[in-house]
Amino acid sequence: QTQETSCSTDLPSFPSNLCIFCIDDSPTACKLLAKSLPTLLCTNNVTTVGQSKEHVRQFPQQVMDGKADIVILDENLDYGKYGHYLGSDLVKELVAMGFAGLICTRSGNVKEHDCQLYMRCGVHVVVGKDTPLKEASKIIQRHYVQRFMQPGLD
């Protein structure tokens, strides 16, 4: 059963019901994204994964199969003795697979050299994990509109 989402975008040109995929190793972060993004980004189509290293391996293909419009990746995906993975490596895979949507890194590491690394891998926008989700969502919306709805303005 689909629920109508109360949309809170300030950008009239931001499309509703985009497909968004998120990966984060924190179950709390996944729950927060799953609960908040539908309202903040005007969509009922949010998938959050990252509870295991298998999710990391499957993420790029899931994104492509799901025809995602926006991906939001944590940079450090840590599974203890089961391995450590980087969101920037997943970004490289997505770019190599021809992903054409908006790529956002949401990380606790947002110093200038970190952001430059993410951008070199193919990330379009970086938001800090300490940035409130409402503000982060506005940043994502603005970048999406500039890149896809008003090309040439970015």
Short mmCIF file of all heavy atoms in Angstrom, two decimals, residues 43-94:
data_model
loop_
_atom_site.label_atom_id
_atom_site.label_comp_id
_atom_site.label_asym_id
_atom_site.label_seq_id
_atom_site.Cartn_x
_atom_site.Cartn_y
_atom_site.Cartn_z
N THR A 43 9.47 11.51 -1.97
CA THR A 43 9.43 10.24 -2.68
C THR A 43 8.98 9.11 -1.76
O THR A 43 9.21 9.16 -0.54
CB THR A 43 10.80 9.90 -3.29
OG1 THR A 43 10.68 8.69 -4.04
CG2 THR A 43 11.87 9.73 -2.24
N ASN A 44 8.37 8.11 -2.33
CA ASN A 44 8.06 6.88 -1.61
C ASN A 44 9.00 5.76 -2.02
O ASN A 44 8.76 4.60 -1.74
CB ASN A 44 6.61 6.45 -1.91
CG ASN A 44 5.62 7.36 -1.24
OD1 ASN A 44 5.76 7.71 -0.07
ND2 ASN A 44 4.61 7.78 -1.99
N ASN A 45 10.07 6.13 -2.72
CA ASN A 45 10.95 5.14 -3.33
C ASN A 45 12.38 5.26 -2.78
O ASN A 45 13.30 5.66 -3.49
CB ASN A 45 10.92 5.35 -4.85
CG ASN A 45 11.41 4.16 -5.61
OD1 ASN A 45 11.87 3.18 -5.03
ND2 ASN A 45 11.34 4.24 -6.92
N VAL A 46 12.55 4.95 -1.48
CA VAL A 46 13.85 5.01 -0.82
C VAL A 46 14.24 3.60 -0.37
O VAL A 46 13.47 2.94 0.33
CB VAL A 46 13.83 5.95 0.41
CG1 VAL A 46 15.16 5.92 1.15
CG2 VAL A 46 13.48 7.38 -0.01
N THR A 47 15.42 3.17 -0.78
CA THR A 47 15.96 1.87 -0.36
C THR A 47 17.22 2.13 0.43
O THR A 47 18.11 2.85 -0.03
CB THR A 47 16.28 1.00 -1.59
OG1 THR A 47 15.09 0.80 -2.35
CG2 THR A 47 16.85 -0.35 -1.17
N THR A 48 17.29 1.56 1.64
CA THR A 48 18.50 1.68 2.46
C THR A 48 19.06 0.29 2.73
O THR A 48 18.31 -0.62 3.07
CB THR A 48 18.23 2.39 3.80
OG1 THR A 48 17.23 1.68 4.51
CG2 THR A 48 17.76 3.82 3.59
N VAL A 49 20.36 0.16 2.53
CA VAL A 49 21.05 -1.11 2.76
C VAL A 49 22.38 -0.82 3.45
O VAL A 49 22.78 0.33 3.60
CB VAL A 49 21.29 -1.89 1.45
CG1 VAL A 49 19.99 -2.26 0.78
CG2 VAL A 49 22.19 -1.12 0.51
N GLY A 50 23.07 -1.89 3.84
CA GLY A 50 24.40 -1.73 4.40
C GLY A 50 24.64 -2.53 5.66
O GLY A 50 25.66 -2.38 6.30
N GLN A 51 23.70 -3.38 6.02
CA GLN A 51 23.84 -4.12 7.27
C GLN A 51 24.90 -5.22 7.20
O GLN A 51 25.31 -5.74 8.22
CB GLN A 51 22.49 -4.74 7.68
CG GLN A 51 21.44 -3.71 8.07
CD GLN A 51 20.87 -2.96 6.88
OE1 GLN A 51 20.78 -3.47 5.78
NE2 GLN A 51 20.49 -1.71 7.10
N SER A 52 25.38 -5.54 5.99
CA SER A 52 26.40 -6.59 5.88
C SER A 52 27.29 -6.33 4.67
O SER A 52 26.95 -5.54 3.79
CB SER A 52 25.73 -7.96 5.71
OG SER A 52 25.15 -8.08 4.43
N LYS A 53 28.44 -7.01 4.66
CA LYS A 53 29.36 -6.84 3.53
C LYS A 53 28.74 -7.32 2.22
O LYS A 53 29.10 -6.85 1.15
CB LYS A 53 30.69 -7.54 3.80
CG LYS A 53 30.60 -9.05 3.88
CD LYS A 53 31.95 -9.67 4.12
CE LYS A 53 31.83 -11.18 4.07
NZ LYS A 53 33.12 -11.83 4.07
N GLU A 54 27.78 -8.25 2.30
CA GLU A 54 27.10 -8.70 1.08
C GLU A 54 26.33 -7.54 0.45
O GLU A 54 26.26 -7.43 -0.78
CB GLU A 54 26.15 -9.87 1.39
CG GLU A 54 26.85 -11.19 1.64
CD GLU A 54 27.54 -11.27 3.01
OE1 GLU A 54 27.09 -10.60 3.97
OE2 GLU A 54 28.55 -11.99 3.10
N HIS A 55 25.76 -6.67 1.28
CA HIS A 55 25.05 -5.51 0.75
C HIS A 55 26.00 -4.61 -0.04
O HIS A 55 25.62 -4.02 -1.05
CB HIS A 55 24.39 -4.71 1.87
CG HIS A 55 23.22 -5.39 2.49
ND1 HIS A 55 22.73 -5.03 3.71
CD2 HIS A 55 22.45 -6.42 2.07
CE1 HIS A 55 21.70 -5.80 4.02
NE2 HIS A 55 21.52 -6.66 3.04
N VAL A 56 27.24 -4.50 0.47
CA VAL A 56 28.24 -3.67 -0.21
C VAL A 56 28.52 -4.24 -1.59
O VAL A 56 28.51 -3.51 -2.59
CB VAL A 56 29.54 -3.58 0.62
CG1 VAL A 56 30.61 -2.80 -0.14
CG2 VAL A 56 29.27 -2.93 1.98
N ARG A 57 28.74 -5.53 -1.67
CA ARG A 57 29.03 -6.17 -2.96
C ARG A 57 27.87 -6.03 -3.94
O ARG A 57 28.07 -5.90 -5.14
CB ARG A 57 29.34 -7.65 -2.75
CG ARG A 57 30.72 -7.87 -2.20
CD ARG A 57 31.16 -9.33 -2.40
NE ARG A 57 32.05 -9.68 -1.30
CZ ARG A 57 31.73 -10.48 -0.30
NH1 ARG A 57 30.56 -11.06 -0.26
NH2 ARG A 57 32.59 -10.74 0.65
N GLN A 58 26.65 -6.10 -3.44
CA GLN A 58 25.46 -6.08 -4.29
C GLN A 58 25.01 -4.66 -4.66
O GLN A 58 24.24 -4.48 -5.60
CB GLN A 58 24.31 -6.80 -3.59
CG GLN A 58 24.57 -8.26 -3.33
CD GLN A 58 23.59 -8.87 -2.33
OE1 GLN A 58 22.74 -8.19 -1.78
NE2 GLN A 58 23.74 -10.16 -2.08
N PHE A 59 25.48 -3.67 -3.92
CA PHE A 59 24.96 -2.31 -4.06
C PHE A 59 25.02 -1.75 -5.48
O PHE A 59 23.99 -1.28 -6.00
CB PHE A 59 25.65 -1.36 -3.07
CG PHE A 59 25.06 0.01 -3.03
CD1 PHE A 59 23.84 0.24 -2.42
CD2 PHE A 59 25.72 1.09 -3.60
CE1 PHE A 59 23.29 1.51 -2.37
CE2 PHE A 59 25.18 2.37 -3.55
CZ PHE A 59 23.96 2.58 -2.93
N PRO A 60 26.18 -1.77 -6.16
CA PRO A 60 26.20 -1.17 -7.51
C PRO A 60 25.17 -1.79 -8.46
O PRO A 60 24.46 -1.07 -9.16
CB PRO A 60 27.63 -1.42 -7.98
CG PRO A 60 28.43 -1.50 -6.72
CD PRO A 60 27.51 -2.21 -5.75
N GLN A 61 25.05 -3.12 -8.45
CA GLN A 61 24.10 -3.75 -9.35
C GLN A 61 22.66 -3.44 -8.94
O GLN A 61 21.79 -3.23 -9.79
CB GLN A 61 24.32 -5.26 -9.42
CG GLN A 61 23.57 -5.91 -10.57
CD GLN A 61 23.99 -5.37 -11.93
OE1 GLN A 61 25.16 -5.35 -12.28
NE2 GLN A 61 23.02 -4.89 -12.71
N GLN A 62 22.40 -3.39 -7.63
CA GLN A 62 21.07 -3.01 -7.14
C GLN A 62 20.68 -1.63 -7.62
O GLN A 62 19.55 -1.39 -8.04
CB GLN A 62 21.04 -2.99 -5.60
CG GLN A 62 20.61 -4.25 -4.95
CD GLN A 62 20.40 -3.99 -3.46
OE1 GLN A 62 21.25 -3.45 -2.78
NE2 GLN A 62 19.26 -4.40 -2.96
N VAL A 63 21.62 -0.70 -7.54
CA VAL A 63 21.38 0.68 -7.98
C VAL A 63 21.04 0.70 -9.46
O VAL A 63 20.07 1.35 -9.88
CB VAL A 63 22.62 1.56 -7.69
CG1 VAL A 63 22.56 2.88 -8.44
CG2 VAL A 63 22.78 1.78 -6.19
N MET A 64 21.82 -0.03 -10.26
CA MET A 64 21.58 -0.04 -11.70
C MET A 64 20.27 -0.75 -12.03
O MET A 64 19.50 -0.26 -12.86
CB MET A 64 22.75 -0.71 -12.43
CG MET A 64 24.08 0.00 -12.24
SD MET A 64 24.10 1.75 -12.71
CE MET A 64 24.10 1.60 -14.49
N ASP A 65 20.00 -1.88 -11.39
CA ASP A 65 18.76 -2.62 -11.64
C ASP A 65 17.54 -1.82 -11.20
O ASP A 65 16.48 -1.89 -11.82
CB ASP A 65 18.76 -3.97 -10.92
CG ASP A 65 19.76 -4.95 -11.51
OD1 ASP A 65 20.28 -4.71 -12.63
OD2 ASP A 65 20.04 -5.97 -10.84
N GLY A 66 17.70 -1.05 -10.12
CA GLY A 66 16.59 -0.26 -9.58
C GLY A 66 16.40 1.07 -10.26
O GLY A 66 15.50 1.82 -9.94
N LYS A 67 17.28 1.36 -11.23
CA LYS A 67 17.19 2.60 -11.98
C LYS A 67 17.15 3.82 -11.05
O LYS A 67 16.29 4.70 -11.17
CB LYS A 67 16.00 2.59 -12.94
CG LYS A 67 16.09 1.49 -13.97
CD LYS A 67 14.93 1.52 -14.93
CE LYS A 67 14.96 0.47 -16.00
NZ LYS A 67 15.79 -0.65 -15.96
N ALA A 68 18.10 3.85 -10.12
CA ALA A 68 18.16 4.93 -9.14
C ALA A 68 18.42 6.27 -9.80
O ALA A 68 19.14 6.36 -10.79
CB ALA A 68 19.24 4.64 -8.10
N ASP A 69 17.82 7.30 -9.24
CA ASP A 69 18.06 8.68 -9.67
C ASP A 69 19.13 9.33 -8.79
O ASP A 69 19.87 10.19 -9.25
CB ASP A 69 16.76 9.49 -9.56
CG ASP A 69 15.68 8.94 -10.45
OD1 ASP A 69 15.86 8.97 -11.69
OD2 ASP A 69 14.65 8.46 -9.92
N ILE A 70 19.15 8.94 -7.51
CA ILE A 70 20.09 9.50 -6.54
C ILE A 70 20.63 8.36 -5.70
O ILE A 70 19.88 7.48 -5.27
CB ILE A 70 19.39 10.52 -5.61
CG1 ILE A 70 18.83 11.71 -6.41
CG2 ILE A 70 20.34 11.02 -4.52
CD1 ILE A 70 17.98 12.67 -5.58
N VAL A 71 21.95 8.36 -5.46
CA VAL A 71 22.54 7.44 -4.50
C VAL A 71 23.22 8.27 -3.41
O VAL A 71 23.82 9.31 -3.68
CB VAL A 71 23.54 6.43 -5.12
CG1 VAL A 71 22.83 5.47 -6.05
CG2 VAL A 71 24.67 7.11 -5.83
N ILE A 72 23.09 7.78 -2.19
CA ILE A 72 23.71 8.42 -1.03
C ILE A 72 24.55 7.35 -0.35
O ILE A 72 24.02 6.33 0.09
CB ILE A 72 22.65 9.00 -0.07
CG1 ILE A 72 21.77 10.02 -0.81
CG2 ILE A 72 23.33 9.63 1.16
CD1 ILE A 72 20.56 10.50 -0.01
N LEU A 73 25.86 7.59 -0.29
CA LEU A 73 26.78 6.57 0.23
C LEU A 73 27.56 7.10 1.43
O LEU A 73 28.06 8.22 1.40
CB LEU A 73 27.79 6.17 -0.84
CG LEU A 73 27.27 5.70 -2.18
CD1 LEU A 73 27.25 6.83 -3.19
CD2 LEU A 73 28.13 4.57 -2.69
N ASP A 74 27.67 6.27 2.44
CA ASP A 74 28.61 6.50 3.53
C ASP A 74 29.99 6.17 2.97
O ASP A 74 30.14 5.25 2.17
CB ASP A 74 28.25 5.57 4.70
CG ASP A 74 29.14 5.74 5.91
OD1 ASP A 74 29.93 6.70 5.96
OD2 ASP A 74 29.04 4.90 6.82
N GLU A 75 31.02 6.92 3.36
CA GLU A 75 32.36 6.64 2.84
C GLU A 75 32.99 5.43 3.52
O GLU A 75 33.60 4.61 2.87
CB GLU A 75 33.27 7.87 3.01
CG GLU A 75 34.72 7.61 2.65
CD GLU A 75 34.98 7.16 1.21
OE1 GLU A 75 34.07 7.16 0.36
OE2 GLU A 75 36.12 6.77 0.93
N ASN A 76 32.86 5.31 4.83
CA ASN A 76 33.50 4.23 5.55
C ASN A 76 32.48 3.19 5.98
O ASN A 76 31.66 3.44 6.87
CB ASN A 76 34.26 4.78 6.77
CG ASN A 76 35.45 5.59 6.33
OD1 ASN A 76 36.40 5.05 5.78
ND2 ASN A 76 35.40 6.89 6.54
N LEU A 77 32.53 2.05 5.33
CA LEU A 77 31.62 0.94 5.62
C LEU A 77 32.45 -0.12 6.34
O LEU A 77 33.23 -0.83 5.71
CB LEU A 77 31.01 0.41 4.33
CG LEU A 77 30.23 1.47 3.52
CD1 LEU A 77 30.05 1.05 2.08
CD2 LEU A 77 28.90 1.77 4.19
N ASP A 78 32.30 -0.19 7.65
CA ASP A 78 33.16 -1.02 8.49
C ASP A 78 32.38 -2.19 9.07
O ASP A 78 31.39 -1.99 9.78
CB ASP A 78 33.76 -0.17 9.61
CG ASP A 78 34.88 -0.87 10.34
OD1 ASP A 78 35.19 -2.04 10.01
OD2 ASP A 78 35.44 -0.26 11.26
N TYR A 79 32.85 -3.40 8.78
CA TYR A 79 32.21 -4.61 9.26
C TYR A 79 33.15 -5.42 10.13
O TYR A 79 33.11 -6.66 10.15
CB TYR A 79 31.67 -5.43 8.08
CG TYR A 79 30.67 -4.63 7.29
CD1 TYR A 79 31.06 -3.95 6.14
CD2 TYR A 79 29.37 -4.48 7.74
CE1 TYR A 79 30.16 -3.15 5.44
CE2 TYR A 79 28.47 -3.68 7.06
CZ TYR A 79 28.86 -3.03 5.91
OH TYR A 79 27.98 -2.23 5.24
N GLY A 80 34.03 -4.70 10.85
CA GLY A 80 34.93 -5.36 11.79
C GLY A 80 35.79 -6.40 11.11
O GLY A 80 36.41 -6.14 10.07
N LYS A 81 35.81 -7.59 11.66
CA LYS A 81 36.65 -8.66 11.11
C LYS A 81 36.20 -9.10 9.72
O LYS A 81 36.93 -9.81 9.03
CB LYS A 81 36.69 -9.85 12.07
CG LYS A 81 35.36 -10.56 12.24
CD LYS A 81 35.49 -11.73 13.20
CE LYS A 81 34.15 -12.44 13.35
NZ LYS A 81 34.24 -13.59 14.22
N TYR A 82 35.01 -8.68 9.31
CA TYR A 82 34.48 -9.08 8.00
C TYR A 82 34.90 -8.14 6.88
O TYR A 82 34.62 -8.38 5.72
CB TYR A 82 32.97 -9.21 8.04
CG TYR A 82 32.53 -10.25 9.04
CD1 TYR A 82 31.96 -9.86 10.25
CD2 TYR A 82 32.73 -11.60 8.80
CE1 TYR A 82 31.57 -10.82 11.18
CE2 TYR A 82 32.35 -12.56 9.73
CZ TYR A 82 31.78 -12.16 10.92
OH TYR A 82 31.41 -13.10 11.84
N GLY A 83 35.57 -7.04 7.24
CA GLY A 83 36.11 -6.17 6.20
C GLY A 83 35.70 -4.71 6.32
O GLY A 83 34.73 -4.37 7.01
N HIS A 84 36.48 -3.87 5.66
CA HIS A 84 36.23 -2.44 5.59
C HIS A 84 36.14 -2.06 4.12
O HIS A 84 36.99 -2.47 3.31
CB HIS A 84 37.38 -1.67 6.27
CG HIS A 84 37.17 -0.20 6.29
ND1 HIS A 84 36.48 0.44 7.28
CD2 HIS A 84 37.53 0.76 5.41
CE1 HIS A 84 36.43 1.73 7.03
NE2 HIS A 84 37.07 1.95 5.90
N TYR A 85 35.13 -1.32 3.76
CA TYR A 85 34.90 -0.94 2.38
C TYR A 85 34.75 0.57 2.30
O TYR A 85 34.36 1.21 3.27
CB TYR A 85 33.64 -1.63 1.84
CG TYR A 85 33.71 -3.13 1.96
CD1 TYR A 85 33.30 -3.76 3.12
CD2 TYR A 85 34.21 -3.90 0.92
CE1 TYR A 85 33.39 -5.14 3.25
CE2 TYR A 85 34.29 -5.27 1.04
CZ TYR A 85 33.88 -5.89 2.20
OH TYR A 85 33.97 -7.25 2.32
N LEU A 86 35.04 1.12 1.13
CA LEU A 86 34.94 2.56 0.93
C LEU A 86 33.80 2.88 -0.04
O LEU A 86 33.69 2.27 -1.11
CB LEU A 86 36.25 3.11 0.36
CG LEU A 86 37.48 2.98 1.26
CD1 LEU A 86 38.72 3.47 0.54
CD2 LEU A 86 37.26 3.73 2.57
N GLY A 87 33.00 3.87 0.35
CA GLY A 87 31.96 4.35 -0.55
C GLY A 87 32.55 4.85 -1.86
O GLY A 87 31.96 4.67 -2.92
N SER A 88 33.74 5.46 -1.79
CA SER A 88 34.36 5.98 -3.02
C SER A 88 34.69 4.85 -4.00
O SER A 88 34.64 5.04 -5.22
CB SER A 88 35.59 6.82 -2.70
OG SER A 88 36.47 6.14 -1.83
N ASP A 89 34.99 3.65 -3.49
CA ASP A 89 35.21 2.51 -4.39
C ASP A 89 33.89 2.10 -5.06
O ASP A 89 33.87 1.73 -6.24
CB ASP A 89 35.80 1.32 -3.63
CG ASP A 89 37.26 1.56 -3.26
OD1 ASP A 89 37.94 2.40 -3.89
OD2 ASP A 89 37.73 0.90 -2.31
N LEU A 90 32.80 2.18 -4.31
CA LEU A 90 31.48 1.88 -4.89
C LEU A 90 31.11 2.93 -5.94
O LEU A 90 30.53 2.60 -6.99
CB LEU A 90 30.41 1.83 -3.81
CG LEU A 90 30.52 0.68 -2.80
CD1 LEU A 90 29.48 0.83 -1.70
CD2 LEU A 90 30.36 -0.65 -3.50
N VAL A 91 31.48 4.18 -5.68
CA VAL A 91 31.24 5.25 -6.66
C VAL A 91 31.98 4.94 -7.96
O VAL A 91 31.40 5.06 -9.05
CB VAL A 91 31.65 6.63 -6.09
CG1 VAL A 91 31.65 7.69 -7.18
CG2 VAL A 91 30.74 7.02 -4.93
N LYS A 92 33.23 4.54 -7.86
CA LYS A 92 34.00 4.19 -9.06
C LYS A 92 33.31 3.08 -9.85
O LYS A 92 33.25 3.13 -11.08
CB LYS A 92 35.42 3.74 -8.69
CG LYS A 92 36.30 4.85 -8.17
CD LYS A 92 37.65 4.26 -7.76
CE LYS A 92 38.46 5.20 -6.91
NZ LYS A 92 39.68 4.60 -6.38
N GLU A 93 32.79 2.08 -9.13
CA GLU A 93 32.06 0.99 -9.80
C GLU A 93 30.81 1.52 -10.50
O GLU A 93 30.53 1.15 -11.64
CB GLU A 93 31.65 -0.08 -8.79
CG GLU A 93 32.73 -1.03 -8.40
CD GLU A 93 32.18 -2.16 -7.54
OE1 GLU A 93 31.31 -2.92 -8.02
OE2 GLU A 93 32.62 -2.26 -6.37
N LEU A 94 30.06 2.36 -9.81
CA LEU A 94 28.84 2.92 -10.40
C LEU A 94 29.15 3.73 -11.65
O LEU A 94 28.46 3.60 -12.67
CB LEU A 94 28.11 3.81 -9.38
CG LEU A 94 27.40 3.06 -8.25
CD1 LEU A 94 26.98 4.02 -7.15
CD2 LEU A 94 26.19 2.30 -8.77
#
